[in-house]
Amino acid sequence: MKFFLSIAILALNVIFGMAQINWQVNPIGSVFARQGGETPAGTFRLTSNGYEVYTLICADKTYQPASLYYGEDNIDKEKVDAMAPDGKVPTSMNCFLVKTDMGYIMFDTGLPASNGGKVLERLAALNLSPSDIKAVYITHSHFDHIGGLIDESGKATFPNANVYFPSKEFEFMNKTMNEAATQITTVYGNRLTSFEWGELLPDGVLPIAATGHTPGHTAYRLGNLLFVGDLMHGAAIQLIDPTINANYDADRKTAVATRNRILSYAVANSLTILGAHIPLNGVIF
């Protein structure tokens, strides 16, 4: 699987909003593309197949400890230390905003402002308000992905948005985070919709099973864009060796199989990957 990164760069094609692209090599050696300073700080813009896409850096987090990837009984420690000799793995915390023909949609919401979340700040910098968002697609129920659904007063952050939640993940959240599930259900009411994988959703969004990180973790395809949530927490090492897990992955064996399957699917279909914890602009192509 070490060839994944080079194949992905050759096979996937993204048309950026600016002609000038600065290639950056992170300290571990994986290559990511970063757009120039056309957009406000903490945001990046690209256009692809008619979609205008913004990466919103929704928290100040740029590194994780390499020990997060050592695995059970430190089985992967030697491999990880070789790829991250300084003991750090680049990361980020991203949400994604897409302008479609019908309006603005988002993939995940980040943390609430009280926990350091910056989504509302990023939207404001783009001259948008939460009321401009018409749909939110949730990859999974961890707090850094759903926390931004509720504002500081306990109301819906996105008053005009329909929220789409994978049914298997919502069942999981009801068991493990019942208070959060109840609050989201109460606040969004009939604007909260659960769905099954493979069911075509509004805006032409296709949900794809991406289990392992959580039981209902979901990737979303929109045209040639593939929003993968927490498929990878440390892309710089997991693209080189997809068998390495972060400690956050609940089912390690399934997470590895899913990572290989989704990466292969992206390459085979010439898709652009957008990930919640991929560094810089959150894009791999």
Side-chain angles (χ1 to χ4, degrees):
M1 294 299 179
K2 293 184 179 180
F3 55 85
F4 256 120
L5 180 61
S6 58
I7 291 178
I9 291 173
L10 291 172
L12 305 180
N13 180 35
V14 179
I15 303 171
F16 276 76
M18 290 182 65
Q20 183 66 34
I21 297 176
N22 295 320
W23 290 97
Q24 298 195 10
V25 179
N26 71 31
I28 296 176
S30 292
V31 181
F32 304 89
R34 182 168 185 166
Q35 192 181 2
E38 181 183 66
T39 56
T43 68
F44 299 90
R45 175 182 176 272
L46 64 87
T47 57
S48 179
N49 282 18
Y51 293 108
E52 190 172 300
V53 186
Y54 291 87
T55 301
L56 309 179
I57 308 299
C58 50
D60 294 324
K61 188 174 185 180
T62 56
Y63 288 97
Q64 294 173 329
S67 58
L68 184 68
Y69 300 89
Y70 284 173
E72 296 173 309
D73 299 321
N74 290 337
I75 189 172
D76 292 324
K77 183 178 187 303
E78 185 176 344
K79 292 192 294 185
V80 171
D81 285 348
M83 290 185 280
D86 61 354
K88 298 188 297 184
V89 178
T91 191
S92 186
M93 190 176 291
N94 310 318
C95 298
F96 298 96
L97 171 74
V98 182
K99 185 179 182 181
T100 70
D101 290 340
M102 301 299 291
Y104 287 97
I105 65 175
M106 285 184 61
F107 293 87
D108 290 331
T109 67
L111 295 163
S114 58
N115 290 80
K118 295 181 179 294
V119 169
L120 299 184
E121 179 182 329
R122 303 307 186 213
L123 289 175
L126 295 170
N127 296 316
L128 295 172
S129 74
S131 61
D132 292 317
I133 309 302
K134 77 177 196 68
V136 178
Y137 296 89
I138 299 295
T139 62
H140 66 293
S141 58
H142 285 167
F143 194 54
D144 58 327
H145 296 259
I146 66 168
L149 283 171
I150 308 297
D151 69 16
E152 304 303 314
S153 65
K155 297 179 181 178
T157 302
F158 306 100
N160 298 323
N162 292 310
V163 177
Y164 296 91
F165 219 112
S167 59
K168 286 184 173 57
E169 187 67 9
F170 203 77
E171 291 170 10
F172 168 69
M173 187 170 70
N174 266 305
K175 294 177 182 177
T176 60
M177 300 167 58
N178 181 261
E179 185 177 343
T182 300
Q183 185 180 26
I184 292 171
T185 301
T186 300
V187 167
Y188 283 91
N190 61 9
R191 291 189 289 114
L192 178 65
T193 301
S194 62
F195 59 84
E196 304 300 325
W197 295 313
E199 177 183 344
L200 191 62
L201 302 176
D203 306 295
V205 174
L206 177 67
I208 299 169
T211 57
H213 179 57
T214 63
H217 186 265
T218 297
Y220 293 97
R221 180 173 177 177
L222 177 63
N224 73 329
L225 304 169
L226 187 64
F227 300 88
V228 300
D230 284 9
L231 183 74
M232 295 175 287
H233 289 79
I237 60 176
Q238 290 175 300
L239 280 170
I240 297 170
D241 188 345
T243 68
I244 293 174
N245 283 306
N247 288 345
Y248 299 129
D249 293 329
D251 182 336
R252 292 170 177 270
K253 184 177 180 180
T254 300
V256 168
T258 293
R259 193 172 301 116
N260 285 324
R261 172 173 56 83
I262 296 294
L263 289 174
S264 296
Y265 173 76
V267 171
N269 291 278
S270 298
L271 305 180
T272 298
I273 293 174
L274 302 98
H277 301 291
I278 294 172
L280 301 180
N281 64 357
V283 179
I284 300 173
F285 66 100

